[in-house]
Amino acid sequence: KQWYQRRVRGDVHTTIQPAQFSLLIWPCRTPYQFQYPAITSGFGQVLVQITLYDKVDLEPRYLPHSVAPFPTYFSDIPSTVRAEDHLTATHQTALSRPIYVLDDLIPQGVLSELLSHVYSSSQYYYDDSEDEGETDNVHWISGYHTHQFVQSNLWTLVRDTVTQMTGHEGWYPYDISCNLNRAWDHTRIHKDCFGKDEYTFLIFLTPDYQPGDLGGTVFYQHEDVSEIVTLVQNRFGRVALFHCEIKHAARPPHSSLSLARYTFVVKVARSKLSAVQREMLTVVAHTQDTEESEAEQWIADESERLGNDPDKLEALFISLIETADQMRHSDLENSLLNAGK
C-alpha cells in the first residue's frame, strides 16, 4: 500500500518486455511499475502475480471487492453547509446535463480522516484486464454498505450539497466506493447510469497532487465523444458533482509517478426506494449466479410484497447482506487456519 501513497521518481534500471508464458521473479522490496498498453490497444495485459511471504499471516483481511465498515463521525464536518460558497465552476453538456466543481467544501481534517480510513480498509491488487460492456475499468479497492454510510455526518454533507446544487430533495445513496488508478492503468469512457436522473459525487482524494501530475476526469459533450466539455483537474479534496448520464473517463497519473489517483465516489438516486433497489441489484448481480433480468424481477416482486416501503425493503436487504458477510468471514477464517496448519 505504501507504494501508492508516495511520490517516486528516478532512473529506470531495466525494462522487461512482455512475452507469453514468461516468468519474472524479483525481491518484493524492489520498486517496479507495470507499463500500460498503447492507447491503440483494445485489450489490457493479463498477468498472474504471486507474492510469497516467509510466514503465514493469520490476520483476517478484506478480500478484493469486499465491503468494509464505514465510520459514523468525522470531527471537523460543519453542521450546515452553503454549497454555493464553494462552487468554482459549472459546465453543461449539449443535453444540458450539469457538472459542478466545488473546492474547499470538505475540511482538510475530514479528508485526512477519510484517506486514513481508505488506506486501512482497502485491498490493493493488480488487474489490467478489461471488463465487458461500457465500464470505467478502474480498480474498486473498497466498498461500503449504504445503511452504514447514511449514519455518518459525511453523508449529511453530501446530501445537503446535492440538494442545494440540483434544487431537489429526497436523494439517497446506492453505491459508495473508493477507486484507485495508477500510471499504467487502462481506463475507459463510460456513463454511470442509463435512462435515470441520478448524480455522482466524486471526491479527489490524493494529497500533494501538482498540476502536471494529470489524474483528472474528462467529461464529453456528445454521445459520440467527439468533443470535450471540460477536464476537471485533480486537486486534494476537490468535488466533481455531475449527472450520471454524462460520458466521462478517469485519467491515470503521469507515467513518471508511482503516486496513485484515489477517488471516493457516492452515487445517489432520486428516492430511497430507487436507491435500495439499485444497491440490491448490484449486490445480487455480483454475488449470485443469476441473470440480471431475473434479479430485477425478484427485487420488483419483493418491493411489491412489502408495499414499496423503502424502509422495509432496506431491512430485508440488510438481513441478507449480514448473513452473506457472516458466511464470507467464516469461510475466510477457515481457509487461513487451514493454511497455518
Side-chain angles (χ1 to χ4, degrees):
K1 298 180 182 180
Q2 297 299 322
W3 172 249
Y4 300 128
Q5 299 170 22
R6 59 191 175 93
R7 182 186 305 273
V8 177
R9 297 179 186 269
D11 294 331
V12 175
H13 179 268
T14 186
T15 300
I16 306 298
Q17 293 296 330
Q20 190 176 27
F21 304 134
S22 62
L23 176 65
L24 180 63
I25 302 175
W26 72 92
C28 63
R29 64 179 178 272
T30 304
Y32 66 93
Q33 175 175 319
F34 291 107
Q35 293 291 336
Y36 51 85
I39 59 175
T40 55
S41 172
F43 301 95
Q45 300 177 53
V46 180
L47 306 176
V48 176
Q49 183 174 348
I50 302 174
T51 304
L52 303 179
Y53 297 91
D54 59 358
K55 64 179 179 178
V56 176
D57 185 357
L58 296 181
E59 179 186 356
R61 301 182 184 279
Y62 295 107
L63 296 175
H65 301 286
S66 68
V67 179
F70 194 82
T72 58
Y73 182 75
F74 293 87
S75 57
D76 293 337
I77 290 184
S79 57
T80 60
V81 61
R82 281 175 48 90
E84 62 183 20
D85 293 344
H86 303 275
L87 184 65
T88 55
T90 303
H91 307 276
Q92 282 196 337
T93 67
L95 296 177
S96 298
R97 292 169 179 153
I99 305 159
Y100 304 106
V101 181
L102 302 100
D103 287 320
D104 303 319
L105 174 71
I106 305 172
Q108 291 292 309
V110 176
L111 295 171
S112 297
E113 287 184 60
L114 180 59
L115 186 60
S116 177
H117 177 72
V118 165
Y119 283 161
S120 63
S121 66
S122 298
Q123 176 69 30
Y124 298 72
Y125 59 99
Y126 180 77
D127 176 15
D128 196 36
S129 59
E130 283 195 303
D131 298 326
E132 295 181 359
E134 183 168 305
T135 176
D136 52 15
N137 204 44
V138 301
H139 298 278
W140 185 81
I141 61 171
S142 65
Y144 305 95
H145 288 313
T146 291
H147 67 277
Q148 293 179 343
F149 178 73
V150 295
Q151 302 302 316
S152 74
N153 55 349
L154 179 59
W155 162 241
T156 302
L157 184 148
V158 172
R159 181 198 61 202
D160 292 349
T161 299
V162 177
T163 298
Q164 292 176 33
M165 299 311 302
T166 63
H168 299 291
E169 297 183 348
W171 299 101
Y172 203 81
Y174 65 86
D175 188 334
I176 304 101
S177 63
C178 183
N179 301 320
L180 175 145
N181 289 110
R182 299 149 304 184
W184 54 89
D185 284 334
H186 191 187
T187 57
R188 298 173 63 181
I189 301 170
H190 67 287
K191 294 180 179 181
D192 285 348
C193 73
F194 295 88
K196 297 181 181 294
D197 186 18
E198 298 174 353
Y199 277 77
T200 298
F201 186 101
L202 182 151
I203 306 172
F204 290 101
L205 205 54
T206 306
D208 303 324
Y209 244 66
Q210 300 173 9
D213 290 343
L214 307 181
T217 300
V218 177
F219 295 90
Y220 292 89
Q221 184 77 263
H222 306 284
E223 291 291 311
D224 62 3
V225 298
S226 59
E227 184 179 349
I228 292 175
V229 177
T230 187
L231 166 64
V232 178
Q233 296 280 8
N234 192 324
R235 175 184 171 187
F236 187 49
R238 171 168 285 173
V239 170
L241 174 64
F242 56 93
H243 195 279
C244 69
E245 285 209 282
I246 300 175
K247 284 200 169 185
H248 61 284
R251 284 292 179 259
H254 193 281
S255 59
S256 66
L257 295 178
S258 65
L259 197 67
R261 170 193 190 268
Y262 288 90
T263 50
F264 186 85
V265 180
V266 181
K267 298 177 183 179
V268 297
R270 284 294 299 272
S271 69
K272 181 175 181 177
L273 178 62
S274 177
V276 174
Q277 291 172 333
R278 292 272 279 156
E279 186 179 15
M280 289 181 71
L281 180 60
T282 300
V283 171
V284 171
H286 279 87
T287 60
Q288 304 297 317
D289 185 17
T290 182
E291 296 291 334
E292 184 171 318
S293 58
E294 295 177 358
E296 287 179 334
Q297 186 59 54
W298 176 77
I299 293 170
D301 292 343
E302 289 299 306
S303 299
E304 184 176 0
R305 180 179 68 84
L306 297 171
N308 287 319
D309 185 321
D311 295 330
K312 292 180 178 179
L313 187 64
E314 184 179 53
L316 170 64
F317 179 51
I318 292 172
S319 68
L320 294 175
I321 59 179
E322 286 179 346
T323 300
D325 284 346
Q326 292 172 2
M327 293 176 62
R328 180 169 61 247
H329 286 296
S330 176
D331 291 342
L332 174 60
E333 181 179 358
N334 290 335
S335 64
L336 288 172
L337 290 175
N338 290 334
K341 291 179 179 179

